[in-house]
PDB file of all heavy atoms in Angstrom:
ATOM      1  N   ARG A 251       2.909   7.940   0.178  1.00  0.00           N
ATOM      2  CA  ARG A 251       3.236   8.346  -1.129  1.00  0.00           C
ATOM      3  C   ARG A 251       3.032   7.190  -2.124  1.00  0.00           C
ATOM      4  O   ARG A 251       3.292   6.083  -1.798  1.00  0.00           O
ATOM      5  CB  ARG A 251       4.785   8.828  -1.178  1.00  0.00           C
ATOM      6  CG  ARG A 251       4.914  10.062  -0.285  1.00  0.00           C
ATOM      7  CD  ARG A 251       6.287  10.748  -0.612  1.00  0.00           C
ATOM      8  NE  ARG A 251       7.415  10.056  -0.061  1.00  0.00           N
ATOM      9  CZ  ARG A 251       7.962  10.278   1.200  1.00  0.00           C
ATOM     10  NH1 ARG A 251       7.403  11.213   1.912  1.00  0.00           N
ATOM     11  NH2 ARG A 251       9.000   9.573   1.597  1.00  0.00           N
ATOM     12  N   GLN A 252       2.671   7.440  -3.336  1.00  0.00           N
ATOM     13  CA  GLN A 252       2.246   6.446  -4.296  1.00  0.00           C
ATOM     14  C   GLN A 252       3.403   6.193  -5.297  1.00  0.00           C
ATOM     15  O   GLN A 252       3.249   5.992  -6.482  1.00  0.00           O
ATOM     16  CB  GLN A 252       1.054   6.904  -5.063  1.00  0.00           C
ATOM     17  CG  GLN A 252      -0.165   7.090  -4.118  1.00  0.00           C
ATOM     18  CD  GLN A 252      -1.452   7.391  -4.902  1.00  0.00           C
ATOM     19  OE1 GLN A 252      -1.535   7.133  -6.090  1.00  0.00           O
ATOM     20  NE2 GLN A 252      -2.384   7.892  -4.228  1.00  0.00           N
ATOM     21  N   GLY A 253       4.672   6.297  -4.787  1.00  0.00           N
ATOM     22  CA  GLY A 253       5.753   5.860  -5.611  1.00  0.00           C
ATOM     23  C   GLY A 253       6.577   7.010  -6.147  1.00  0.00           C
ATOM     24  O   GLY A 253       7.631   6.912  -6.732  1.00  0.00           O
ATOM     25  N   TYR A 254       6.004   8.244  -6.048  1.00  0.00           N
ATOM     26  CA  TYR A 254       6.640   9.440  -6.525  1.00  0.00           C
ATOM     27  C   TYR A 254       6.884  10.488  -5.312  1.00  0.00           C
ATOM     28  O   TYR A 254       6.123  10.423  -4.334  1.00  0.00           O
ATOM     29  CB  TYR A 254       5.931  10.132  -7.651  1.00  0.00           C
ATOM     30  CG  TYR A 254       5.755   9.318  -8.859  1.00  0.00           C
ATOM     31  CD1 TYR A 254       4.697   8.544  -9.074  1.00  0.00           C
ATOM     32  CD2 TYR A 254       6.748   9.359  -9.828  1.00  0.00           C
ATOM     33  CE1 TYR A 254       4.640   7.744 -10.181  1.00  0.00           C
ATOM     34  CE2 TYR A 254       6.641   8.676 -11.025  1.00  0.00           C
ATOM     35  CZ  TYR A 254       5.623   7.769 -11.211  1.00  0.00           C
ATOM     36  OH  TYR A 254       5.462   7.116 -12.325  1.00  0.00           O
ATOM     37  N   PHE A 255       7.825  11.296  -5.456  1.00  0.00           N
ATOM     38  CA  PHE A 255       7.936  12.346  -4.399  1.00  0.00           C
ATOM     39  C   PHE A 255       8.534  13.604  -5.152  1.00  0.00           C
ATOM     40  O   PHE A 255       9.079  13.501  -6.284  1.00  0.00           O
ATOM     41  CB  PHE A 255       8.952  11.898  -3.423  1.00  0.00           C
ATOM     42  CG  PHE A 255      10.417  11.974  -3.800  1.00  0.00           C
ATOM     43  CD1 PHE A 255      11.243  12.930  -3.214  1.00  0.00           C
ATOM     44  CD2 PHE A 255      10.944  11.031  -4.706  1.00  0.00           C
ATOM     45  CE1 PHE A 255      12.591  13.055  -3.612  1.00  0.00           C
ATOM     46  CE2 PHE A 255      12.279  11.092  -5.106  1.00  0.00           C
ATOM     47  CZ  PHE A 255      13.226  12.070  -4.533  1.00  0.00           C
ATOM     48  N   PRO A 256       8.257  14.737  -4.585  1.00  0.00           N
ATOM     49  CA  PRO A 256       8.798  16.042  -5.223  1.00  0.00           C
ATOM     50  C   PRO A 256      10.318  16.123  -5.074  1.00  0.00           C
ATOM     51  O   PRO A 256      10.859  16.221  -3.853  1.00  0.00           O
ATOM     52  CB  PRO A 256       8.020  17.131  -4.460  1.00  0.00           C
ATOM     53  CG  PRO A 256       7.680  16.496  -3.170  1.00  0.00           C
ATOM     54  CD  PRO A 256       7.501  15.061  -3.378  1.00  0.00           C
ATOM     55  N   LEU A 257      11.014  16.209  -6.099  1.00  0.00           N
ATOM     56  CA  LEU A 257      12.533  16.355  -6.059  1.00  0.00           C
ATOM     57  C   LEU A 257      12.797  17.783  -6.145  1.00  0.00           C
ATOM     58  O   LEU A 257      12.430  18.450  -7.166  1.00  0.00           O
ATOM     59  CB  LEU A 257      13.139  15.534  -7.262  1.00  0.00           C
ATOM     60  CG  LEU A 257      14.616  15.683  -7.394  1.00  0.00           C
ATOM     61  CD1 LEU A 257      15.341  15.054  -6.201  1.00  0.00           C
ATOM     62  CD2 LEU A 257      15.115  15.008  -8.646  1.00  0.00           C
ATOM     63  N   PHE A 258      13.565  18.372  -5.287  1.00  0.00           N
ATOM     64  CA  PHE A 258      13.942  19.765  -5.193  1.00  0.00           C
ATOM     65  C   PHE A 258      15.212  20.038  -6.007  1.00  0.00           C
ATOM     66  O   PHE A 258      16.199  19.397  -5.748  1.00  0.00           O
ATOM     67  CB  PHE A 258      14.077  20.223  -3.782  1.00  0.00           C
ATOM     68  CG  PHE A 258      14.307  21.679  -3.546  1.00  0.00           C
ATOM     69  CD1 PHE A 258      13.647  22.628  -4.231  1.00  0.00           C
ATOM     70  CD2 PHE A 258      15.322  22.156  -2.657  1.00  0.00           C
ATOM     71  CE1 PHE A 258      13.848  24.013  -4.123  1.00  0.00           C
ATOM     72  CE2 PHE A 258      15.593  23.442  -2.515  1.00  0.00           C
ATOM     73  CZ  PHE A 258      14.826  24.372  -3.210  1.00  0.00           C
ATOM     74  N   LEU A 259      15.145  21.018  -6.936  1.00  0.00           N
ATOM     75  CA  LEU A 259      16.298  21.504  -7.728  1.00  0.00           C
ATOM     76  C   LEU A 259      16.528  22.894  -7.327  1.00  0.00           C
ATOM     77  O   LEU A 259      16.031  23.862  -7.980  1.00  0.00           O
ATOM     78  CB  LEU A 259      15.978  21.278  -9.166  1.00  0.00           C
ATOM     79  CG  LEU A 259      15.532  19.934  -9.709  1.00  0.00           C
ATOM     80  CD1 LEU A 259      15.182  19.974 -11.131  1.00  0.00           C
ATOM     81  CD2 LEU A 259      16.668  18.898  -9.432  1.00  0.00           C
ATOM     82  N   PRO A 260      17.424  23.204  -6.292  1.00  0.00           N
ATOM     83  CA  PRO A 260      17.542  24.584  -5.825  1.00  0.00           C
ATOM     84  C   PRO A 260      18.122  25.485  -6.795  1.00  0.00           C
ATOM     85  O   PRO A 260      17.902  26.738  -6.637  1.00  0.00           O
ATOM     86  CB  PRO A 260      18.494  24.331  -4.513  1.00  0.00           C
ATOM     87  CG  PRO A 260      19.179  22.975  -4.892  1.00  0.00           C
ATOM     88  CD  PRO A 260      18.225  22.152  -5.556  1.00  0.00           C
ATOM     89  N   GLU A 261      18.887  25.013  -7.798  1.00  0.00           N
ATOM     90  CA  GLU A 261      19.501  25.980  -8.716  1.00  0.00           C
ATOM     91  C   GLU A 261      18.424  26.694  -9.561  1.00  0.00           C
ATOM     92  O   GLU A 261      18.706  27.725 -10.176  1.00  0.00           O
ATOM     93  CB  GLU A 261      20.537  25.256  -9.581  1.00  0.00           C
ATOM     94  CG  GLU A 261      19.912  24.229 -10.523  1.00  0.00           C
ATOM     95  CD  GLU A 261      19.808  22.836  -9.786  1.00  0.00           C
ATOM     96  OE1 GLU A 261      19.967  22.772  -8.581  1.00  0.00           O
ATOM     97  OE2 GLU A 261      19.489  21.799 -10.477  1.00  0.00           O
ATOM     98  N   ARG A 262      17.225  26.117  -9.638  1.00  0.00           N
ATOM     99  CA  ARG A 262      16.129  26.702 -10.420  1.00  0.00           C
ATOM    100  C   ARG A 262      15.235  27.544  -9.613  1.00  0.00           C
ATOM    101  O   ARG A 262      14.409  28.347 -10.158  1.00  0.00           O
ATOM    102  CB  ARG A 262      15.330  25.603 -11.100  1.00  0.00           C
ATOM    103  CG  ARG A 262      16.014  24.678 -12.075  1.00  0.00           C
ATOM    104  CD  ARG A 262      15.096  23.707 -12.603  1.00  0.00           C
ATOM    105  NE  ARG A 262      15.736  22.737 -13.581  1.00  0.00           N
ATOM    106  CZ  ARG A 262      15.113  21.710 -14.157  1.00  0.00           C
ATOM    107  NH1 ARG A 262      13.864  21.601 -14.082  1.00  0.00           N
ATOM    108  NH2 ARG A 262      15.792  20.981 -15.040  1.00  0.00           N
ATOM    109  N   CYS A 263      15.351  27.444  -8.338  1.00  0.00           N
ATOM    110  CA  CYS A 263      14.364  28.089  -7.354  1.00  0.00           C
ATOM    111  C   CYS A 263      14.472  29.587  -7.471  1.00  0.00           C
ATOM    112  O   CYS A 263      15.592  30.180  -7.386  1.00  0.00           O
ATOM    113  CB  CYS A 263      14.549  27.550  -5.933  1.00  0.00           C
ATOM    114  SG  CYS A 263      13.352  28.236  -4.808  1.00  0.00           S
ATOM    115  N   ILE A 264      13.301  30.287  -7.605  1.00  0.00           N
ATOM    116  CA  ILE A 264      13.303  31.778  -7.554  1.00  0.00           C
ATOM    117  C   ILE A 264      12.785  32.356  -6.215  1.00  0.00           C
ATOM    118  O   ILE A 264      12.452  33.460  -6.064  1.00  0.00           O
ATOM    119  CB  ILE A 264      12.463  32.299  -8.736  1.00  0.00           C
ATOM    120  CG1 ILE A 264      11.048  31.684  -8.658  1.00  0.00           C
ATOM    121  CG2 ILE A 264      13.091  31.895 -10.047  1.00  0.00           C
ATOM    122  CD1 ILE A 264      10.094  32.330  -9.742  1.00  0.00           C
TER     123      ILE A 264
END
Side-chain angles (χ1 to χ4, degrees):
R251 298 193 283 268
Q252 297 183 23
Y254 295 92
F255 78 107
L257 177 65
F258 182 43
L259 306 176
E261 64 276 8
R262 298 182 182 178
C263 184
I264 59 174

